Amino acid sequence: MTNSIATFEPTPRTKINRKPQRGSYDKAVVNAILDEGLICHIGFAVDEQPYVIPTAYCRVDEQLYIHGAPASRMLKTVREGINICLTVTLLDELVLARSAFNHSMNYRSVVVLGQATEVTDLDEKNLAMRALVEHIVPGRWEDSRQPTLKELKATLILVLPIEQVSAKIRSGPVIDDEDDYGLPYWAGLVPLPFSPGRPINDARLPDEVAAPAYALNYQRPVSAPES
Amino acid sequence: MTNSIATFEPTPRTKINRKPQRGSYDKAVVNAILDEGLICHIGFAVDEQPYVIPTAYCRVDEQLYIHGAPASRMLKTVREGINICLTVTLLDELVLARSAFNHSMNYRSVVVLGQATEVTDLDEKNLAMRALVEHIVPGRWEDSRQPTLKELKATLILVLPIEQVSAKIRSGPVIDDEDDYGLPYWAGLVPLPFSPGRPINDARLPDEVAAPAYALNYQRPVSAPES
């Protein structure tokens, strides 16, 4: 890790109030979730109306780059420098308890608050585009046609520092009321593993171009805490 | 369908401005996405700071019930009747184009705007809890211990009408610049199918209680438009 700070400082806005035992401010935990996720949901408000829009993102050291394409409404607003919230959620398992009330899900989520600004420097923009592609498919950048100046200019990328941040995690077994363990209902977990299918060749691909290993064996990074 | 209106009226807030060909206001399209999703992301603002929190939800006819547990901060605020945004995103495929610039993802998302209110009537709350459980695992409600009065009172459920709503969908193949089709890079789709694993029995389950079919063969509803 490039930074010696191993945990984030909770703020009144990022502090986990409900079920605080599920909260974490550990940098390794936060980064692992951010690195495993494929999309984030960005929240911002315009004229008192919140919007939540899914988009691509990636982490580079202590900041997040956000692909700005999805929402022209968001972009115009966020570029002015308003507060946003970026949330990444990984759904791991359904938790089927004996009681309806204790049904739950095992998940890992990260919430990052802050002000996003536009990346205008073209070199940084190119690095950010590289990081966005490599976040989704490591190895793909060198195996694709890289952006022209025109494409770089046409891409809107925002940057958000990872400072006000918290993770929230539920893992482990069903938790039922003690009186309910004797009930005749099945209880347990239904895992929701990440299981990509076989890549589908583009119809206009020449026969001699085979799918590369990064597509054939596509996986997300294992979300173990960094050492 | 219980309602004869087949499409929602776009408003200035729900109209898809960017890539409008990907937008839909078709009720069957919207409902299919809402019914297939497992979690939503709720956006709301407190003191000019937006928050985006994942939570469970379900659709019943023309409204959404939202499980209010995840965020005490949200709950206290939303109960007062502020504007929220509820977004459901299904990620279907990675789209690996020959050019880095044309990389994309195939997805289906729905954005619902409006004011959420708290469900206080205990009968409606019980129906909403049933719908929440059945949304995640059809058949589970009758095969679990149903809520006590105390549990109903301890559960916060919000209701949001499905009125201001739009869907956005990208599907189909890679779209590269015409000049790029001759490049030697592989291009195609990496499918991200929903592939639940085998259920894991709770450690305290008696030997004679076998995993039910709804857990062994767990799947989401097929997101075909309703007829």
Side-chain angles (χ1 to χ4, degrees):
Chain A
M1 290 175 63
T2 55
N3 193 310
S4 60
I5 301 166
T7 57
F8 296 100
E9 190 66 37
T11 71
R13 284 178 167 174
T14 63
K15 190 157 177 287
I16 306 287
N17 296 315
R18 189 174 171 280
K19 302 202 178 181
Q21 73 282 8
R22 293 185 182 170
S24 174
Y25 311 95
D26 184 288
K27 188 174 280 189
V29 170
V30 165
N31 285 351
I33 295 168
L34 291 173
D35 292 348
E36 185 172 339
L38 282 169
I39 60 164
C40 66
H41 283 82
I42 304 276
F44 59 96
V46 182
D47 298 337
E48 312 273 305
Q49 174 63 56
Y51 294 90
V52 176
I53 306 290
T55 191
Y57 75 97
C58 65
R59 180 181 72 87
V60 175
D61 298 330
E62 315 293 317
Q63 54 190 23
L64 295 166
Y65 289 113
I66 305 163
H67 195 269
S72 54
R73 185 183 285 117
M74 169 179 83
L75 303 182
K76 278 181 246 159
T77 310
V78 172
R79 286 160 82 170
E80 292 163 10
I82 56 160
N83 295 323
I84 72 165
C85 175
L86 182 151
T87 298
V88 173
T89 305
L90 306 171
L91 195 54
D92 292 325
E93 289 164 323
L94 306 181
V95 180
L96 275 58
R98 292 158 184 85
S99 63
F101 181 74
N102 283 314
H103 276 61
S104 187
M105 299 191 198
N106 283 336
Y107 67 93
R108 291 163 290 151
S109 68
V110 165
V111 169
V112 186
L113 307 178
Q115 284 214 327
T117 52
E118 186 182 351
V119 177
T120 52
D121 179 82
L122 290 180
D123 288 334
E124 185 183 358
K125 228 165 156 175
N126 195 59
L127 287 173
M129 276 185 77
R130 178 194 175 107
L132 284 163
V133 168
E134 290 287 305
H135 171 82
I136 302 292
V137 188
R140 182 62 180 173
W141 181 257
E142 296 295 336
D143 196 30
S144 62
R145 200 263 294 152
Q146 291 169 25
T148 62
L149 197 61
K150 189 180 166 195
E151 287 173 341
L152 277 182
K153 286 180 177 169
T155 305
L156 186 65
I157 294 176
L158 303 171
V159 61
L160 175 70
I162 308 175
E163 289 168 0
Q164 296 181 65
V165 57
S166 61
K168 198 163 185 185
I169 296 171
R170 191 212 189 275
S171 61
V174 166
I175 301 174
D176 260 313
D177 293 359
E178 201 51 45
D179 286 350
D180 288 339
Y181 279 94
L183 293 175
Y185 306 116
W186 182 80
L189 309 177
V190 178
L192 305 174
F194 185 77
S195 308
R198 280 190 64 81
I200 300 166
N201 286 352
D202 186 56
R204 292 178 63 179
L205 202 68
D207 288 341
E208 67 270 21
V209 181
Y214 58 69
L216 286 168
N217 309 312
Y218 184 69
Q219 274 302 334
R220 299 306 299 155
V222 175
S223 184
E226 298 175 9
S227 59
Chain B
M1 292 176 61
T2 54
N3 192 311
S4 59
I5 301 167
T7 59
F8 296 101
E9 189 67 35
T11 71
R13 285 178 166 174
T14 63
K15 191 159 176 285
I16 306 287
N17 296 316
R18 187 173 174 279
K19 305 205 177 180
Q21 73 280 9
R22 293 186 183 170
S24 173
Y25 310 95
D26 185 289
K27 188 172 281 193
V29 170
V30 165
N31 285 351
I33 295 168
L34 291 172
D35 291 349
E36 185 173 339
L38 282 169
I39 59 163
C40 66
H41 283 81
I42 303 276
F44 59 97
V46 182
D47 299 335
E48 312 273 303
Q49 174 63 57
Y51 295 89
V52 176
I53 306 290
T55 191
Y57 75 97
C58 66
R59 181 181 72 86
V60 175
D61 299 331
E62 316 291 318
Q63 53 190 25
L64 295 166
Y65 288 113
I66 305 164
H67 195 269
S72 54
R73 187 184 282 118
M74 169 177 87
L75 302 182
K76 279 180 246 159
T77 310
V78 171
R79 285 161 81 170
E80 291 162 9
I82 57 161
N83 294 324
I84 72 164
C85 175
L86 182 151
T87 299
V88 173
T89 304
L90 306 171
L91 195 55
D92 292 324
E93 291 164 322
L94 305 181
V95 180
L96 275 58
R98 293 157 184 86
S99 63
F101 181 75
N102 283 315
H103 276 61
S104 186
M105 298 190 198
N106 283 335
Y107 67 94
R108 291 164 291 150
S109 68
V110 165
V111 169
V112 185
L113 307 178
Q115 285 215 327
T117 51
E118 186 182 351
V119 177
T120 52
D121 179 84
L122 290 179
D123 288 334
E124 185 182 0
K125 231 166 154 174
N126 194 61
L127 287 174
M129 276 186 78
R130 179 194 175 107
L132 283 163
V133 168
E134 290 285 307
H135 171 81
I136 302 293
V137 188
R140 181 64 179 170
W141 180 258
E142 295 295 337
D143 195 29
S144 63
R145 199 263 295 152
Q146 292 170 24
T148 62
L149 198 60
K150 190 181 165 194
E151 288 173 338
L152 277 182
K153 287 180 176 169
T155 305
L156 186 64
I157 294 177
L158 304 171
V159 61
L160 175 69
I162 308 175
E163 290 167 359
Q164 297 180 66
V165 57
S166 61
K168 198 163 182 183
I169 296 171
R170 191 211 188 276
S171 61
V174 166
I175 301 174
D176 260 312
D177 294 358
E178 200 50 45
D179 287 350
D180 288 339
Y181 279 94
L183 293 175
Y185 306 118
W186 181 79
L189 308 177
V190 177
L192 304 174
F194 185 77
S195 308
R198 279 191 65 80
I200 300 166
N201 285 354
D202 186 55
R204 293 179 62 178
L205 203 70
D207 289 342
E208 66 271 22
V209 181
Y214 59 69
L216 286 169
N217 308 312
Y218 184 69
Q219 275 302 333
R220 299 306 298 155
V222 176
S223 183
E226 298 175 7
S227 57

